[in-house]
Amino acid sequence: MEKPEPTREELHERIRSLEECLWEAEQTLQAIRSGEVDALVTDGPEGVQLYTLTGADQGYRILVESISEGALILSSDDSIYYCNSALREMLGAPAGAIVGRRLESFCPPSFRAHLVELIGESRRSGAARGECMMNRGDGTLLPVNISLNHLKTQDFEGVCGVVTDLSQQKRTEEELRRHRTELQSLVDERTAELQREVAERKLAEKGLRESEERYRSLVENSFEWIWEVDAQGRYTYASP
């Protein structure tokens, strides 16, 4: 016998129930990240179990969630094991869309090989750093600097990383480049103007010298008396 289709009211009720469960899960995750929850109690096939969340690392968890830089942990297969809220904001995606994916999958194809090499270098030498671009959820690209360090504990081995947003730095660098270009353009224009002024001055001086030479030649060879006197009537020049 076929199961009857749910009514509109039943579907609305199911959606409301799922929304409540999702809201409770999000509140629980937020409480865990902020350190407000000390422990979790779960009831499963193995019975009731207590997971303690307090300890020496609680302060670190709260600190990592509050910093402005992105933080992540890669597992042994290079998939993202953990990401903090700053990284989620950078990528414009919820934790569920980030955790479990490989880090290079968030990069444009032209940067993926570079990022894979950085991860490999951090595992080989202990640390690596480099710049790359990352895809955001809205389709834009985000320039970042990624610092990676090999992480090994008694029961875990992976890579921890810090992702720094370079967009403001890149904008500042671009602004400086633009100003330098404009300044160089002004310098080149002024240099060209000065070169033209010097050339015009030299041409004018040459014309003046030629004019003086012609005048002097005319005076020196004139059969007329030509002379100059100053304000006191003293001769300052007399032709031959």
Side-chain angles (χ1 to χ4, degrees):
M1 183 175 181
E2 294 184 359
K3 187 176 181 180
E5 292 291 332
T7 64
R8 181 186 298 271
E9 289 74 14
E10 290 174 338
L11 288 174
H12 280 302
E13 181 62 26
R14 291 181 186 179
I15 292 173
R16 187 188 64 78
S17 178
L18 289 172
E19 288 176 345
E20 289 181 356
C21 292
L22 179 59
W23 182 84
E24 291 177 357
E26 290 176 345
Q27 293 298 310
T28 301
L29 287 173
Q30 181 60 33
I32 292 173
R33 295 189 185 105
S34 64
E36 297 175 2
V37 175
D38 296 330
L40 290 176
V41 178
T42 63
D43 188 4
E46 299 179 358
V48 177
Q49 297 188 18
L50 175 67
Y51 295 91
T52 304
L53 302 178
T54 58
D57 64 335
Q58 184 182 14
Y60 293 107
R61 290 190 293 104
I62 298 174
L63 175 63
V64 169
E65 282 296 327
S66 63
I67 62 176
S68 59
E69 293 182 302
L72 58 89
I73 297 177
L74 303 180
S75 60
S76 57
D77 63 352
D78 290 346
S79 62
I80 300 175
Y81 177 78
Y82 164 80
C83 64
N84 70 344
S85 57
L87 183 60
R88 297 194 295 274
E89 184 176 352
M90 285 182 188
L91 297 178
I98 299 175
V99 174
R101 291 178 57 181
R102 295 178 65 88
L103 182 59
E104 66 269 19
S105 68
F106 290 96
C107 295
S110 57
F111 286 90
R112 290 174 186 172
H114 174 57
L115 185 53
V116 170
E117 175 58 29
L118 288 178
I119 296 172
E121 182 182 346
S122 69
R123 291 186 183 278
R124 293 189 301 270
S125 61
R129 174 180 294 182
E131 293 185 12
C132 70
M133 302 292 289
M134 303 196 79
N135 293 313
R136 305 192 73 238
D138 58 4
T140 59
L141 293 176
L142 181 70
V144 298
N145 180 83
I146 299 182
S147 299
L148 301 170
N149 289 274
H150 185 220
L151 176 65
K152 186 175 183 179
T153 64
Q154 185 175 358
D155 55 357
F156 180 83
E157 182 173 4
V159 173
C160 62
V162 174
V163 181
T164 304
D165 183 354
L166 298 181
S167 55
Q168 181 59 47
Q169 177 182 325
K170 296 298 182 183
R171 284 193 293 269
T172 302
E173 291 175 353
E174 180 60 30
E175 188 75 9
L176 288 174
R177 279 194 295 270
R178 186 175 64 82
H179 286 312
R180 282 196 294 265
T181 301
E182 292 176 352
L183 179 60
Q184 186 60 48
S185 178
L186 292 174
V187 170
D188 293 341
E189 290 178 4
R190 183 54 182 158
T191 300
E193 290 177 1
L194 291 175
Q195 290 173 343
R196 287 194 299 270
E197 290 175 3
V198 170
E200 291 172 356
R201 186 179 297 112
K202 288 182 178 179
L203 186 61
E205 291 174 351
K206 180 182 178 182
L208 180 60
R209 284 195 302 269
E210 292 175 349
S211 178
E212 289 177 347
E213 289 174 357
R214 287 194 299 269
Y215 171 76
R216 183 172 296 279
S217 175
L218 176 63
V219 171
E220 293 291 327
N221 294 286
S222 175
F223 292 103
E224 304 294 332
W225 287 18
I226 301 174
W227 67 90
E228 291 180 356
V229 294
D230 61 15
Q232 285 74 37
R234 293 174 297 196
Y235 285 95
T236 58
Y237 172 78
S239 65

